[in-house]
Amino acid sequence: MLCALLAAGAAAAALLPAAALEWRPELALAEPWRWWTAALVHWTPRHLAANLAGAAVLAGFGWTARAPTGIAVAWAAAWPLTQLALLAQPALQRYGGLSGVLHAGVAAVAWWLLRRDRGARRLVGGAVLAGLVLKLVLERPWAAVAVVVPEWDFPVAPFAHASGALAGLLAAVVADAWPRRAAPLPP
């Protein structure tokens, strides 16, 4: 459901002025809605299409993993935290796109599989987390604010991917540690 909400929001945001929604660090406290809306802004149709495809893949991953509601709630909590963490990269003056929040979702679902499943599914969770870490290291989020990749028609902000993955992982760890109430016994 969260993937569908993100996809619908991103499609709707394409009809609105990006300047009112995008991430702007100087407006982070004065206009806190940007903590959410920045994820919905896309700079080009190709940027939007790539992130909508990513949302569809993540929806399939979450569904196949049978991620519980608690992981979806953790991922939802990571959504604004992903953008808020961008304050740690003050040179990033504008940001828009779902990719950071999608990285948060991947990290949360992979953590769920690694911690709460068994056998091959646990291995999948570990492999996805390891692959995510490798991807982030190869992107070198500490090296450049934005990277121009010839295959894309928009600049990529690797720090947003890292902030999303970290926010998603931390939120999933908290959700995993949260005490669960036992279901009441029937009378």
Side-chain angles (χ1 to χ4, degrees), residues 22-37:
E22 68 190 5
W23 175 255
R24 303 284 304 242
E26 73 276 10
L27 299 174
L29 298 179
E31 298 178 359
W33 65 81
R34 293 173 186 269
W35 302 3
W36 287 269
T37 61

Side-chain angles (χ1 to χ4, degrees), residues 113-133:
L113 283 172
L114 181 64
R115 289 283 297 140
R116 295 292 174 178
D117 223 316
R118 301 188 191 300
R121 292 170 55 85
R122 177 176 272 176
L123 292 175
V124 167
V128 169
L129 273 179
L132 181 59
V133 168

Side-chain angles (χ1 to χ4, degrees), residues 106-150:
V106 170
V109 173
W111 176 259
W112 163 255
L113 283 172
L114 181 64
R115 289 283 297 140
R116 295 292 174 178
D117 223 316
R118 301 188 191 300
R121 292 170 55 85
R122 177 176 272 176
L123 292 175
V124 167
V128 169
L129 273 179
L132 181 59
V133 168
L134 178 62
K135 176 191 182 290
L136 295 172
V137 168
L138 291 174
E139 286 184 336
R140 302 175 33 177
W142 60 87
V145 174
V147 178
V148 176
V149 179

Side-chain angles (χ1 to χ4, degrees), residues 28-128:
L29 298 179
E31 298 178 359
W33 65 81
R34 293 173 186 269
W35 302 3
W36 287 269
T37 61
L40 307 177
V41 173
H42 289 82
W43 306 123
T44 68
R46 189 171 184 186
H47 185 201
L48 175 60
N51 279 328
L52 291 178
V57 169
L58 181 54
F61 181 44
W63 183 266
T64 303
R66 296 188 296 265
T69 303
I71 289 299
V73 169
W75 179 28
W79 179 354
L81 297 176
T82 296
Q83 272 65 246
L84 196 56
L86 296 178
L87 289 173
Q89 176 56 279
L92 185 62
Q93 293 299 305
R94 294 176 61 217
Y95 174 74
L98 280 174
S99 59
V101 175
L102 294 176
H103 280 73
V106 170
V109 173
W111 176 259
W112 163 255
L113 283 172
L114 181 64
R115 289 283 297 140
R116 295 292 174 178
D117 223 316
R118 301 188 191 300
R121 292 170 55 85
R122 177 176 272 176
L123 292 175
V124 167
V128 169

